[in-house]
Amino acid sequence: MKKKILFFVCTVFLSAGFVSCNKDDDGDSNASIVGKWEFYKTSEYLNGEVIYEEMWSDISLCPSKKDYVKFESNGDFMQVNHDEDCEAETEMGTYTVSGNTLEIDSGFDIMSLDIVSITGSKLIVEEQEVYEGITYKYRTELRK
């Protein structure tokens, strides 16, 4: 009888290990936007269909340096893009997160993005606009 109970307990623990969540699952409720996020992939959708998708490294002007955005815990943000000479171009401002909405204020423009997914290592945001009855959606994936 003791062997059957021990076997059952071992089976339960092993099964839990196989079905548990991993760090890439969407919607980690403890994940924070604070930190340095490198641009990874961009996608464009037209009426729900993917019409363009590319890895950020393929469209970056400087292959030796990564473009990134950094969110500080005090509400400041800094975005760094590199030009064709690999010189950094920096944009700074503030940000707020309310629910699943990320609002970025660069001082001359306010951008509102939907947070689709955030984990400890991956952030996916998207922006949507309707132009002449056509819905365009732009999705950006960033990684720590």
Side-chain angles (χ1 to χ4, degrees):
M1 182 68 165
K2 288 181 183 179
K3 286 184 179 181
K4 286 184 179 180
I5 292 174
L6 181 61
F7 177 75
F8 174 75
V9 170
C10 289
T11 303
V12 169
F13 283 131
L14 286 173
S15 297
F18 288 119
V19 298
S20 66
C21 299
N22 67 34
K23 68 178 185 176
D24 291 333
D25 287 347
D26 293 342
D28 182 356
S29 61
N30 295 322
S32 171
I33 197 166
V34 173
K36 179 180 174 182
W37 298 90
E38 294 177 349
F39 290 94
Y40 180 72
K41 181 170 70 172
T42 183
S43 306
E44 184 176 342
Y45 298 79
L46 175 65
N47 289 327
E49 297 291 324
V50 176
I51 60 169
Y52 173 81
E53 188 168 80
E54 193 155 17
M55 302 304 288
W56 197 266
S57 59
D58 294 334
I59 59 174
S60 177
L61 297 175
C62 174
S64 64
K65 295 187 180 179
K66 296 193 182 255
D67 298 336
Y68 66 90
V69 63
K70 188 173 184 181
F71 296 100
E72 301 287 350
S73 60
N74 66 357
D76 290 341
F77 93 95
M78 177 176 65
Q79 181 172 335
V80 176
N81 294 311
H82 296 89
D83 65 16
E84 54 277 340
D85 296 324
C86 295
E87 296 294 322
E89 297 176 354
T90 303
E91 181 179 341
M92 298 171 71
T94 60
Y95 77 95
T96 57
V97 176
S98 178
N100 287 335
T101 302
L102 168 62
E103 193 168 277
I104 298 175
D105 184 348
S106 63
F108 61 90
D109 187 28
I110 297 175
M111 184 178 358
S112 183
L113 302 167
D114 293 326
I115 299 172
V116 175
S117 172
I118 185 169
T119 68
S121 62
K122 182 167 62 171
L123 170 65
I124 299 174
V125 295
E126 66 184 24
E127 182 179 22
Q128 185 170 297
E129 68 180 352
V130 177
Y131 179 74
E132 296 183 357
I134 300 172
T135 302
Y136 296 91
K137 184 170 38 172
Y138 309 97
R139 180 177 281 196
T140 303
E141 182 176 326
L142 303 102
R143 300 220 173 146
K144 277 190 177 177

